[in-house]
């Protein structure tokens, strides 16, 4: 789009007048305006009133994108959660990404008091950053607001689905939460609800929430910078840094350079080639990439074609050559550490000959295998996404399939991502799924059930098995989900998995921080401390 | 003169309308903001309520009519992202873009005059070669490549400059200006050089020399004054291009101007902000053009007379 260019062309051309001698007026205007703007601003840029506090007490973090909001009930959205969760607001309990255990935070304990009900005891002496005490009424209000309201909170859809919860305040430090059906992982679901004061509106989203977290919002200059300041009344151990400044840059190389150049301490969402050098830290980020195959339209409605696509994906080659070994070839949609992960599965074999044979068979049976298929990807979804699509497209073209690549932005892929899907002919969608909740239920309900929000399809029998797995606990739960992941490729096959991904962040030597599998969605500032810089003579 | 201006304003209104209508429809072709602002699990009722609240449920022509009705009343809508008035966000961002554009143009004119005059006065000199190199560079190197290379060389390799942002005082200006400068400097240097070559061979320069004027006086008092007009014609166009073309540079360097605001608004499907930003840019460019035209009309009767026809 170049609106002003169109404007410019609509203008009458001026004729220069050779010989006249007073044509310097526009130059005077330009120079005058420049002088005025520079002098008036004292060399500072307009619209940038606050400078970065580049002091040792400030942690400067550079993200890929500005969070659209910091609304606590949208923390399952990566760009919101990474700033808000456990920094500004906190949940009742928190999953330890390393052990997978649910650990106390604002709640000291929780116990199941009936098939459907849990009683939660809160930690005493907690206050919000505005000084008001945190009590059971606030917890009940936060759950009501996130799960039962009409706010269409991201957490509601991602974690609770259509189910409403019954919440009752017993005393200032005790509440009960009940689900309509028995739910063995209710506390895990509740751990996604961030606590806000009871004064937070039930009918409106807030852009800048108040919470009990170790930091509070100091100021947010939209488009430029978000600055958090340490909550001096925080109930837990005092975090190391007095202030955290967030900025955002779309270019990965610029983000990495900001750390190598001493302009930021942490930069996230980097690729292996963004130039973080020795300051780059790779970590398994719980994300899995895959090609989701739409099942409705020919030729993709034929399982032989879907199998052929799977046989054509050279996962080893993609991980080694494109991701520079950062990641592992994927065999299922969840990563190790998530309840339900099937450790006995192997990636679907790379076998172009077998793929060709399946395509030839399908063609012989009248399946229109040369129909044009769109392969849709999201720009910047993961490093080397364009090249990954090209490799897959090339492999499918060699089978005689007609696949075109379409790259778009996140809003552009949204309509293909979720039901109801547009009826636009056969297409393949490159997806990336991260299960940060640590339980396969959050993946299976969305991706394996025939009407799941992000599922390309399934069967009634398979849906029944998914529902049944969700009611189990302990080892039975693990086995039921693991079996589902093993059976899906044989019974449905809606995915060609690519890789379990690694994330890369850049970290200045002055900071101690060990990223974990949850870092991509929640980056705890209190876990970032000053590195021991004591020097010995 | 008044008639000339009135005519210019009328003729400018048509492209302005075309731009606004074009942006209105193009923005909506990029996708439905509902899928971006509501979670995947939002119910149909929630989606419809969102559309109704923001007017997206109306037929597209009704939306367009409502938009223009708002514009007439100086109501440009609110940002879906921040809830702030779109006009406030656009007006807040615009001065940063203007600062960048004016500073770049000032340096481009200064540099072009010095190098262009030198090159014209001494053909095949070092300045002449610099002038050719600049124009070739300007024509062949894309802004974003120059920006990324600038970051790599001057921020990472040497560590002399900040990679981005606006917190480092004067240092923050250098890479964005250098990136924007290369094109206008290259083009203007060629124009100044060409104009000076013909001016220096004109009879009035020979006359000045015959009267004993020195080299410096010939260049600054005689040739340059007459060579300035074509250069300034081109400078006006380049200035328009700078305001318009700061998008890439602002996005890469995190410069808080109107270009970055537009990119953010497109990515966030924040239609009201995008429309307000485009409207403000387009109107500014019209005003800039009219001011430059008016200056020329004031100075050159032929331009004025043409408008009377």
């Amino acid at each position: 789009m170049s609106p002003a260019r169109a404007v410019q062309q609509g203008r009458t051309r001026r004729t220069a007048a050779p010989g006249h001698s007073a044509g310097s007026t526009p130059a005077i205007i330009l120079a005058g305006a420049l002088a005025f703007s520079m002098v008036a601003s004292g060399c500072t840029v307009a619209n940038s009133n606050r400078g970065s506090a580049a002091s040792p007490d400030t942690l400067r973090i550079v993200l890929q994108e500005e969070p659209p909001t910091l609304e606590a009930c949208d923390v399952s959205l990566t760009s919101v959660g990474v700033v808000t969760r456990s920094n500004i607001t906190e949940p009742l309990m928190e999953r330890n990404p390393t052990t997978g255990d649910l650990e106390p935070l604002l709640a000291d304990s929780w116990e199941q008091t009936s098939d459907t009900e849990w009683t939660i005891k809160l930690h005493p002496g907690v206050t919000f950053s505005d000084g008001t005490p945190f009590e059971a009424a606030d917890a009940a209000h936060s759950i009501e607001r996130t799960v039962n309201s009409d706010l269409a909170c991201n957490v509601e859809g991602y974690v609770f689905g259509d189910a409403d919860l019954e919440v009752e305040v017993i005393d200032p430090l005790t509440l009960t939460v009940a689900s309509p059906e028995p739910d063995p992982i209710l506390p895990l679901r509740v751990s996604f609800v961030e606590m806000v004061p009871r004064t937070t509106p039930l009918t409106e989203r807030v852009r800048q929430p108040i919470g009990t977290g170790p930091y509070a919002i100091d100021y947010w200059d939209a488009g430029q910078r978000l600055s958090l300041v340490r909550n001096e009344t925080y109930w837990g151990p005092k975090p190391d840094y007095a202030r955290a400044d967030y900025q955002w840059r779309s270019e990965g190389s610029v983000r990495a350079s900001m750390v190598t150049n001493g302009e930021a301490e942490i930069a996230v969402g980097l690729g292996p080639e963004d130039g973080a050098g020795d300051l780059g830290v790779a970590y398994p980020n719980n994300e899995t990439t895959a090609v989701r195959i739409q099942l409705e339209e020919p030729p993709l409605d034929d399982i032989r074609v879907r199998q052929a696509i799977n046989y054509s994906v050279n996962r080893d080659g993609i991980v080694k050559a494109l991701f520079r070994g950062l990641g592992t070839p994927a065999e299922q949609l969840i990563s190790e550490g998530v309840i339900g992960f099937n450790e006995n599965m192997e990636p679907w074999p790379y076998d172009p000959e077998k793929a060709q044979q399946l395509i030839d068979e399908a063609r012989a049976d009248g399946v229109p295998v040369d129909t044009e298929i769109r392969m849709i990807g999201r720009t910047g979804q993961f490093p080397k996404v364009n090249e990954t699509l090209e490799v897959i497209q090339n492999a499918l073209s060699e089978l005689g399939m007609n696949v075109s690549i379409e790259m778009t932005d996140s809003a552009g892929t949204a309509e293909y991502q979720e039901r109801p899907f547009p009826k636009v002919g056969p297409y393949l969608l490159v997806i990336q799924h991260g299960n940060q909740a640590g339980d396969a239920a959050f993946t299976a309900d969305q991706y394996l059930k025939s009407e799941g929000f992000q599922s390309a399809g399934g069967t009634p029998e398979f849906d029944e098995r998914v529902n049944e797995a969700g009611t189990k606990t302990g080892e039975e739960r693990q086995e039921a989900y693991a079996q589902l992941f093993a059976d899906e490729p044989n019974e449905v096959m809606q995915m060609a998995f690519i890789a379990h991904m690694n994330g890369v962040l850049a970290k200045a030597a002055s900071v101690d921080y060990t990223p974990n599998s949850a870092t991509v969605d929640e980056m705890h500032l209190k876990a970032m401390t000053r590195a021991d810089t004591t020097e010995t003579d | 003169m008044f008639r000339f201006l009135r005519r210019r304003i009328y003729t400018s209104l048509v492209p302005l309308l075309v731009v606004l209508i074009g942006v209105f429809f193009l923005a909506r072709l990029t996708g439905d903001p509902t899928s971006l602002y509501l979670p995947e699990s939002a119910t149909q009722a929630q989606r419809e309520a969102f559309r109704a609240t923001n007017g997206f449920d109306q037929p597209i022509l009704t939306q367009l009519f409502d938009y223009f009705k708002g514009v007439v009343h100086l109501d440009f809508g609110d940002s879906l992202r921040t809830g702030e008035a779109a006009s406030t966000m656009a007006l807040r961002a615009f001065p940063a873009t203007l600062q960048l554009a004016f500073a770049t143009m000032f340096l481009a004119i200064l540099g072009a005059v010095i190098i262009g005059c030198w090159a014209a006065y001494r053909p095949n000199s070092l300045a002449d070669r610099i002038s050719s190199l600049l124009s070739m560079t300007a024509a062949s190197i894309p802004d974003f490549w120059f920006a990324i290379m600038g970051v790599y060389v001057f921020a990472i390799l040497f560590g002399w400059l900040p990679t981005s942002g606006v917190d480092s005082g004067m240092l923050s200006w250098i890479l964005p200006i250098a990136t924007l400068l290369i094109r206008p400097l290259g083009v203007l240097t060629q124009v100044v050089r060409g104009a000076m070559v013909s001016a220096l061979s004109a009879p009035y320069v020979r006359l000045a020399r015959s009267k004993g004027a020195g080299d410096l006086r010939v260049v600054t008092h005689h040739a340059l004054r007459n060579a300035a007009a074509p250069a300034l014609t081109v400078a006006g166009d380049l200035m328009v291009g700078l305001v318009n073309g700061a998008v890439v540079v602002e996005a890469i360097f995190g410069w808080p101007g109107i270009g970055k605001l537009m990119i953010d608004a497109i990515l966030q499907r924040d239609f009201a902000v995008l429309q307000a930003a485009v409207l403000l840019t387009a109107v500014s460019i019209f005003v800039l053009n009219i001011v430059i035209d008016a200056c020329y009309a004031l100075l050159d009767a032929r331009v004025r007379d043409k408008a009377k026809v």
Side-chain angles (χ1 to χ4, degrees):
Chain A
M1 181 186 51
S2 181
R5 183 52 53 191
V7 170
Q8 182 192 343
Q9 283 162 358
R11 179 163 60 82
T12 316
R13 296 295 304 177
R14 292 179 297 276
T15 49
H20 79 72
S21 60
S24 56
T25 310
I28 293 165
I29 294 169
L30 288 177
L34 166 72
F36 175 77
S37 63
M38 297 290 274
V39 170
S41 60
C43 289
T44 56
V45 180
N47 183 27
S48 61
N49 302 321
R50 302 174 174 102
S52 175
S55 83
D57 226 14
T58 299
L59 192 61
R60 294 164 301 171
I61 297 170
V62 55
L63 308 171
Q64 301 99 307
E65 58 178 332
E66 182 174 14
T69 170
L70 297 176
E71 168 56 73
C73 82
D74 282 339
V75 293
S76 56
L77 203 64
T78 298
S79 59
V80 178
V82 77
V83 176
T84 304
R85 201 160 151 78
S86 290
N87 293 328
I88 300 166
T89 57
E90 293 176 309
L92 295 176
M93 49 287 259
E94 207 169 36
R95 179 179 173 268
N96 182 321
T98 313
T99 63
D101 295 337
L102 205 55
E103 296 175 349
L105 195 67
L106 293 180
D108 278 343
S109 65
W110 52 95
E111 61 170 337
Q112 192 162 11
T113 39
S114 83
D115 270 0
T116 55
E117 187 187 83
W118 295 71
T119 300
I120 301 172
K121 294 270 186 199
L122 304 186
H123 188 76
V126 176
T127 57
F128 287 102
S129 59
D130 64 357
T132 55
F134 166 68
E135 294 178 341
D138 301 296
H141 177 81
S142 303
I143 295 170
E144 282 282 347
R145 188 173 182 274
T146 303
V147 185
N148 299 348
S149 74
D150 287 329
L151 284 176
C153 296
N154 213 282
V155 166
E156 182 193 7
Y158 178 63
V159 181
F160 294 94
D162 295 333
D164 278 358
L165 299 179
E166 270 183 43
V167 193
E168 197 180 337
V169 176
I170 308 297
D171 64 48
L173 291 178
T174 313
L175 72 154
T176 59
V177 181
S179 53
E181 300 291 328
D183 183 357
I185 58 165
L186 188 63
L188 180 62
R189 293 187 203 273
V190 171
S191 76
F192 275 84
V193 179
E194 300 284 300
M195 297 295 125
V196 291
R198 67 198 89 164
T199 48
T200 312
L202 268 176
T203 51
E204 278 175 42
R205 285 184 144 79
V206 290
R207 194 167 152 73
Q208 302 189 20
I210 290 168
T212 61
Y215 289 85
I217 301 164
D218 184 21
Y219 63 86
W220 186 359
D221 284 347
Q224 280 186 66
R225 176 182 288 113
L226 166 68
S227 191
L228 306 187
V229 65
R230 186 165 53 205
N231 171 11
E232 297 298 347
T233 61
Y234 184 55
W235 62 277
K238 188 171 137 181
D240 218 9
Y241 290 93
R243 184 175 283 277
D245 271 5
Y246 292 93
Q247 285 186 282
W248 28 90
R249 298 283 184 273
S250 52
E251 284 291 323
S253 55
V254 170
R255 285 197 300 280
S257 307
M258 286 178 75
V259 175
T260 54
N261 209 29
E263 296 165 45
E265 277 70 45
I266 305 272
V268 301
L270 303 180
E273 292 174 343
D274 279 331
D278 293 343
L279 301 180
V281 183
Y283 59 98
N285 64 2
N286 235 343
E287 299 282 345
T288 301
T289 47
V291 176
R292 195 186 69 196
I293 310 167
Q294 295 305 110
L295 304 173
E296 288 94 357
E297 309 239 13
L300 301 177
D301 58 351
D302 190 302
I303 195 164
R304 288 169 297 185
V305 176
R306 302 201 290 277
Q307 286 170 341
I309 293 172
N310 251 299
Y311 279 120
S312 309
V313 178
N314 183 354
R315 297 164 184 81
D316 279 319
I318 289 171
V319 169
K320 274 183 201 152
L322 296 183
F323 302 163
R324 293 193 175 182
L326 292 179
T328 50
E331 67 300 309
Q332 59 197 301
L333 198 50
I334 57 173
S335 314
E336 200 170 356
V338 177
I339 292 168
F341 177 78
N342 190 329
E343 58 186 18
N344 298 320
M345 285 178 74
E346 291 289 329
W348 197 267
Y350 169 57
D351 189 344
E353 282 174 21
K354 180 80 179 160
Q356 189 66 63
Q357 190 188 328
L358 286 162
I359 288 290
D360 291 345
E361 270 177 35
R363 185 184 281 116
D365 288 347
V367 177
V369 292
D370 50 2
T371 307
E372 187 180 350
I373 298 170
R374 298 153 68 209
M375 181 157 50
I376 301 163
R378 196 178 91 203
T379 310
Q381 189 172 25
F382 51 87
K384 298 284 178 189
V385 60
N386 295 45
E387 291 82 351
T388 303
L389 265 69
E390 282 162 18
V391 166
I392 296 171
Q393 180 205 34
N394 185 48
L396 297 179
S397 301
E398 285 181 6
L399 300 179
M401 296 178 74
N402 179 8
V403 177
S404 62
I405 293 178
E406 272 177 41
M407 296 303 292
T408 175
D409 63 6
S410 54
T413 55
E415 65 172 319
Y416 302 102
Q417 193 94 37
E418 65 203 52
R419 287 178 177 273
F421 300 126
K423 301 280 179 206
V424 289
Y427 66 90
L428 307 167
L429 180 73
V430 177
I431 63 152
Q432 180 164 248
H433 172 64
N435 184 327
Q436 302 301 347
D439 189 286
F442 297 94
T443 300
D445 289 354
Q446 282 189 70
Y447 282 99
L448 297 189
K449 286 166 81 167
S450 45
E451 294 298 320
F453 289 123
Q454 304 199 53
S455 164
T459 64
E461 299 76 37
F462 210 75
D463 289 354
E464 193 54 42
R465 288 179 58 195
V466 173
N467 290 338
E468 204 180 315
T471 62
K472 295 182 188 300
T473 55
E475 195 52 38
E476 280 189 350
R477 187 180 184 86
Q478 161 65 31
E479 279 172 19
Y481 277 119
Q483 195 57 47
L484 282 173
F485 288 118
D487 292 344
E488 197 276 347
N490 300 317
E491 294 182 24
V492 183
M493 186 168 272
Q494 58 160 309
M495 300 273 179
F497 302 109
I498 302 173
H500 298 304
M501 309 294 281
N502 274 13
V504 179
L505 62 74
K507 181 180 74 63
S510 61
V511 181
D512 255 350
Y513 175 62
T514 308
N516 56 51
S517 61
T519 293
V520 69
D521 284 318
E522 45 186 282
M523 200 162 55
H524 295 186
L525 295 170
K526 64 185 173 194
M528 299 177 186
T529 56
R530 286 191 188 80
D532 184 7
T533 51
T534 311
E535 289 176 16
T536 50
D537 291 327
Chain B
M1 184 63 202
F2 179 71
R3 207 170 141 196
F4 166 79
L5 279 180
R6 196 175 53 191
R7 189 183 157 86
R8 287 290 290 115
I9 290 168
Y10 284 154
T11 52
S12 295
L13 281 177
V14 177
L16 179 65
L17 271 176
V18 170
V19 167
L20 292 187
I21 294 171
V23 167
F24 184 90
F25 282 108
L26 284 174
R28 276 148 185 82
L29 280 179
T30 60
D32 182 0
T34 312
S35 53
L36 204 67
Y37 286 89
L38 292 184
E40 288 149 9
S41 57
T43 61
Q44 201 53 34
Q46 285 166 334
R47 286 173 197 277
E48 277 160 20
F50 179 87
R51 289 196 185 100
T53 308
N54 294 290
F56 301 139
D57 59 334
Q58 300 295 317
I60 188 84
L61 288 178
T62 312
Q63 290 184 42
L64 181 65
F65 178 74
D66 288 345
Y67 168 58
F68 276 111
K69 208 163 72 180
V71 168
V72 170
H73 294 97
L74 298 181
D75 174 8
F76 302 92
D78 294 336
S79 164
L80 284 176
R81 198 161 41 121
T82 65
E84 213 176 347
S87 53
T88 309
M89 290 173 74
L91 285 169
R92 192 171 53 221
F94 200 44
T97 300
L98 286 183
Q99 278 183 320
L100 201 55
F102 279 126
T104 305
M105 186 45 71
F106 176 75
L107 293 174
I109 292 172
L110 197 68
V113 166
I114 294 169
I115 303 170
C117 288
W118 185 10
Y121 202 75
R122 297 199 194 287
N124 301 320
S125 65
L126 173 68
D128 211 7
R129 287 198 288 275
I130 292 175
S131 138
S132 305
L133 180 73
L134 274 174
S135 63
M136 273 172 55
T137 313
S140 56
I141 296 184
D143 288 352
F144 70 89
W145 186 88
F146 199 83
I148 297 284
M149 285 310 290
V151 170
Y152 179 72
V153 174
F154 296 103
I156 302 171
L157 221 54
F158 298 133
W160 293 340
L161 298 173
T163 56
S164 59
V166 292
D167 300 327
S168 308
M170 273 311 284
L171 292 179
S172 306
W173 293 75
I174 295 176
L175 279 177
I177 287 183
T179 306
L180 282 174
L181 185 64
I182 193 79
R183 189 174 306 278
L185 181 58
V187 173
L188 275 178
T189 303
Q190 283 302 305
V191 172
V192 170
R193 183 188 175 279
M196 283 297 287
V197 166
S198 32
L200 284 170
S201 60
Y204 62 86
V205 169
R206 287 201 299 275
L207 181 66
R209 281 190 196 285
S210 69
K211 286 183 174 174
D215 286 353
L216 189 65
R217 188 171 174 79
V218 164
V219 169
T220 55
H221 281 72
H222 297 278
L224 184 59
R225 292 181 75 166
N226 291 307
L232 290 166
T233 309
V234 176
D237 282 349
L238 289 169
M239 185 69 193
V240 168
L242 278 180
V243 172
N244 196 25
V247 174
V248 172
V249 169
E250 288 184 4
I252 290 178
F253 291 109
W255 193 267
I258 200 95
K260 184 167 180 295
L261 184 71
M262 279 187 208
I263 293 270
D264 290 347
I266 291 168
L267 292 176
Q268 299 283 342
R269 305 296 188 265
D270 205 346
F271 298 154
V273 175
L274 177 63
Q275 285 158 193
V278 170
L279 176 65
L280 181 62
T281 311
V283 168
S284 311
I285 287 170
F286 282 129
V287 171
L288 190 65
N289 279 327
I290 289 171
V291 167
I292 294 171
D293 279 353
C295 290
Y296 278 92
L298 266 177
L299 301 169
D300 188 350
R302 286 173 298 176
V303 179
R304 216 162 42 233
D305 294 344
K306 229 179 188 178
K308 287 179 188 164
V309 179

